[in-house]
Amino acid sequence: ELLQQAFAAVEAWTTADADAMLPGRSDLFPIDNHYCVAHNAAFDLGFLWRRATVHGIHRPRWLPGPMARAGKEYFCTMQHWAGFGKTVSLDTLCRALGVASPKGELDGSKILDAWLVGQYKEIEKYNLADAMAVREVYHRLLGLPRAAA
């Protein structure tokens, strides 16, 4: 159900949402042609694709499959910065680009433990900060204006 809700939220994205991110530049966000951006995107998008497949959830057309290519069907901030087959953490890339890092007391390695003890709001806050950091890194890499907070 959580995965279905996440897919539905992306599907519901509007021009107003895009304009709130970059006022006057919503043209940079094709509303009916979603383009996934992630750090270590092959892992994240592959995970979503596989979970949807395992659970019989309809995969949206914008979710790249396992044979998708970075830079064409999706954008990977890690690969764009480090190069094919190389890695850089989001925290390190944020620091290099002057973007606020989402890493603090909670990071990706601690999410399961936080979930098991019911720290859902903390997880939500961390995930939002992580997504906003990736957005800022993406904008910096493409030379776009910094996103509105």
Side-chain angles (χ1 to χ4, degrees):
E1 185 175 308
L2 184 61
L3 190 55
Q4 288 173 315
Q5 290 174 1
F7 288 163
V10 173
E11 295 284 330
W13 186 257
T14 67
T15 302
D17 295 321
D19 198 46
M21 282 223 175
L22 280 177
R25 299 298 310 271
S26 61
D27 59 303
L28 296 172
F29 295 92
I31 300 308
D32 51 354
N33 186 19
H34 300 294
Y35 186 65
C36 295
V37 176
H39 190 80
N40 196 5
F43 173 82
D44 292 342
L45 298 175
F47 180 85
L48 292 172
W49 190 91
R50 287 173 184 85
R51 290 294 93 199
T53 301
V54 165
H55 294 289
I57 297 170
H58 172 73
R59 293 183 309 265
R61 70 179 183 350
W62 50 262
L63 181 64
M67 299 303 290
R69 295 171 297 196
K72 184 168 174 74
E73 286 94 2
Y74 65 90
F75 190 94
C76 179
T77 57
M78 181 178 75
Q79 187 174 340
H80 193 82
W81 183 264
F84 183 76
K86 298 179 181 160
T87 63
V88 61
S89 72
L90 179 58
D91 181 55
T92 298
L93 185 51
C94 284
R95 293 175 194 277
L97 297 175
V99 172
S101 173
K103 311 306 178 189
E105 285 186 31
L106 190 60
D107 65 39
S109 70
K110 300 174 185 171
I111 294 296
L112 177 58
D113 291 335
W115 179 269
L116 293 174
V117 297
Q119 294 179 323
Y120 309 124
K121 285 294 181 191
E122 290 83 356
I123 294 170
E124 179 183 349
K125 182 179 173 186
Y126 165 75
N127 286 340
L128 180 59
D130 197 74
M132 292 177 75
V134 170
R135 176 185 68 179
E136 288 296 335
V137 165
Y138 176 64
H139 287 184
R140 292 291 303 275
L141 293 176
L142 295 186
L144 297 172
R146 294 186 71 98

